[in-house]
């Protein structure tokens, strides 16, 4: 009765990995309980997610083939576009959020178009907007650019509006840090950069004032929801963003955070279920409205729905 912070199933978003092919249900070795799923299995999983009362999924694509330009990312027949159509057809009330980024689709694993061995910010904007439009055309409710190119929220908003998708919202990864917590995700998506790192386009972990500047830019460009990522080591950033802006704030409890808990629990060193719930509530306490987490299904069960 006197608890100040509540975690509810309504706050949760569950990430899903759509893999090209058939009959695929491949557990990610570093993420127990998380699978690469071909579309028919993805639909089954989405039905379960909806039955648990989780309102939304965040969809990532693992294409059959990667290339230097990441063409599958903006093909109407791409893996994510195909998966979105199947999800909206089978579970229409489940909110579908799509990751808009190139690192899952490029053979070099960077989040954009390369020129002279570096990511070309402005050349990437155009293809990001094209990619978002294909997601919207497939039925995505919300697009979520996760690359951190400067100006991409504005470019995507313009691209969507020009094609008649004014009602598709943008959840921007506004303050995304180039840290070490994404390792297991990169196993899941085969998206580790083949050279260098993401520090030329994503944030330096010690910076928080810069995070507020990044969020302000995305808000000005038309973001509908702003995200801080990762969550656990950045609870102060979540709080600062919450206090400074009135938009909904999302936080991404990323792969490394999930895997650490699973690994600790497997070794018998911590009570994994208890710690997972404690982490999720701490993210809410820091000020996040939405929590994107691989533990969403477990949490929904623990919350008793
Ligand atoms: C794509 C993207 C990544 C994540 C979300 N979108 C990977 C990355 O930036 O390397 C990471 C999510 C996670 O670690 O759970 N850019």
């Amino acid at each position: 009765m006197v608890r100040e912070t509540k975690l509810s199933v309504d706050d949760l978003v569950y990430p899903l990995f759509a893999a090209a092919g058939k009959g695929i249900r491949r557990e990610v070795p570093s993420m127990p309980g998380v699978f690469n799923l071909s579309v028919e299995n993805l639909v089954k999983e989405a039905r379960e997610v909806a039955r648990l009362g989780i309102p939304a999924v965040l969809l990532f694509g693992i294409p059959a083939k990667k290339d230097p330009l990441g063409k599958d990312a903006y093909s109407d027949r791409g893996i994510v576009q195909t998966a979105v159509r199947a999800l909206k057809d089978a579970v229409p009330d489940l909110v579908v959020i799509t990751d808009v980024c190139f690192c899952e689709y490029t053979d070099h694993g960077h989040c954009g178009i390369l020129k002279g061995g570096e990511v070309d910010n402005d050349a990437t904007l155009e293809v990001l907007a094209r990619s978002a439009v294909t997601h919207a055309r497939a039925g995505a409710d919300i697009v979520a650019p996760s690359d951190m190119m400067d100006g991409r929220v504005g470019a995507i908003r313009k691209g969507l509006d020009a094609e008649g998708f004014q009602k598709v919202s943008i959840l921007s990864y506004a303050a995304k840090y180039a840290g070490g917590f994404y390792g297991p995700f990169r196993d899941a998506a085969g998206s580790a950069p083949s050279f260098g790192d993401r520090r030329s386009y994503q944030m330096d972990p010690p910076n928080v004032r810069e995070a507020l500047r990044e969020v302000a830019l995305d808000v000005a460009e038309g973001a509908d929801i702003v995200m801080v990522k990762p969550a656990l080591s950045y609870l102060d950033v979540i709080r600062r963003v919450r206090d400074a802006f009135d938009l909904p704030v999302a936080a991404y409890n990323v792969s490394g955070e999930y895997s650490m808990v699973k690994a600790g629990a497997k070794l018998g060193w911590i009570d994994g279920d208890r710690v997972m719930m404690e982490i999720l509530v701490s993210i809410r306490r820091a000020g996040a409205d939405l929590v994107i987490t691989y533990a969403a299904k477990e949490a929904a069960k623990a919350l008793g729905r």
Side-chain angles (χ1 to χ4, degrees):
M1 194 169 70
V2 294
R3 270 198 180 151
E4 296 172 27
T5 304
K6 293 205 167 65
L7 176 69
S8 147
V9 67
D10 300 327
D11 311 322
L12 303 174
V13 177
Y14 188 56
L16 286 175
F17 295 95
K22 282 235 153 51
I24 299 169
R25 186 176 164 80
R26 194 169 49 229
E27 191 165 25
V28 182
S30 52
M31 300 177 76
V34 175
F35 295 82
N36 288 354
L37 300 165
S38 50
V39 171
E40 79 285 7
N41 288 328
L42 189 84
V43 165
K44 274 192 218 151
E45 183 82 356
R47 286 209 170 95
E48 193 198 337
V49 169
R51 198 168 53 243
L52 288 166
I54 298 166
V57 293
L58 172 60
L59 194 58
F60 295 93
I62 303 162
K65 216 168 92 249
K66 305 190 189 228
D67 61 57
L69 297 175
K71 290 204 198 81
D72 201 83
Y74 48 86
S75 158
D76 283 314
R77 289 184 306 279
I79 176 60
V80 156
Q81 294 80 354
T82 306
V84 171
R85 282 191 295 269
L87 289 179
K88 288 315 281 187
D89 193 38
V91 205
D93 290 340
L94 186 66
V95 174
V96 174
I97 310 171
T98 53
D99 182 75
V100 177
C101 191
F102 277 80
C103 64
E104 297 112 70
Y105 303 93
T106 52
D107 53 8
H108 46 73
H110 274 291
C111 303
I113 304 298
L114 294 186
K115 269 198 195 136
E118 286 192 3
V119 174
D120 183 325
N121 189 95
D122 292 4
T124 303
L125 297 184
E126 193 210 322
V127 284
L128 283 169
R130 266 174 78 181
S131 176
V133 166
T134 62
H135 294 185
R137 199 179 288 134
D141 301 292
I142 302 178
V143 295
S146 65
D147 53 292
M148 287 280 282
M149 298 304 139
D150 291 331
R152 92 276 202 221
V153 172
I156 289 172
R157 185 71 272 159
K158 208 165 141 226
L160 289 172
D161 290 357
E163 295 291 326
F165 297 114
Q166 287 87 352
K167 289 182 185 157
V168 172
S169 307
I170 300 177
L171 186 173
S172 91
Y173 288 64
K176 173 172 175 180
Y177 288 86
F181 280 99
Y182 311 137
F185 175 97
R186 293 175 188 174
D187 287 346
S191 63
S194 60
F195 64 91
D197 54 43
R198 306 211 200 291
R199 285 188 291 180
S200 70
Y201 42 99
Q202 297 175 0
M203 285 190 48
D204 195 21
N207 288 4
V208 63
R209 294 192 301 266
E210 185 187 5
L212 298 177
R213 262 194 329 272
E214 290 283 3
V215 173
L217 286 167
D218 285 8
V219 171
E221 289 174 31
D224 299 285
I225 305 173
V226 289
M227 175 143 69
V228 175
K229 173 188 171 190
L232 193 50
S233 293
Y234 300 87
L235 294 175
D236 59 318
V237 182
I238 297 172
R239 168 51 56 196
R240 294 282 296 272
V241 170
R242 166 73 295 149
D243 288 346
F245 299 92
D246 59 3
L247 285 178
V249 175
Y252 201 142
N253 177 219
V254 299
S255 59
E257 301 171 32
Y258 173 84
S259 300
M260 288 193 303
V261 175
K262 291 293 174 192
K266 197 169 164 192
L267 285 164
W269 290 352
I270 54 166
D271 177 343
D273 295 341
R274 182 175 174 187
V275 167
M276 197 69 91
M277 295 306 276
E278 193 173 337
I279 289 173
L280 296 179
V281 89
S282 75
I283 297 169
R284 290 273 296 134
R285 195 187 62 237
D289 302 293
L290 312 179
V291 184
I292 301 174
T293 179
Y294 302 97
K297 289 197 315 183
E298 306 164 39
K301 287 175 196 157
L303 291 165
R305 265 180 72 168

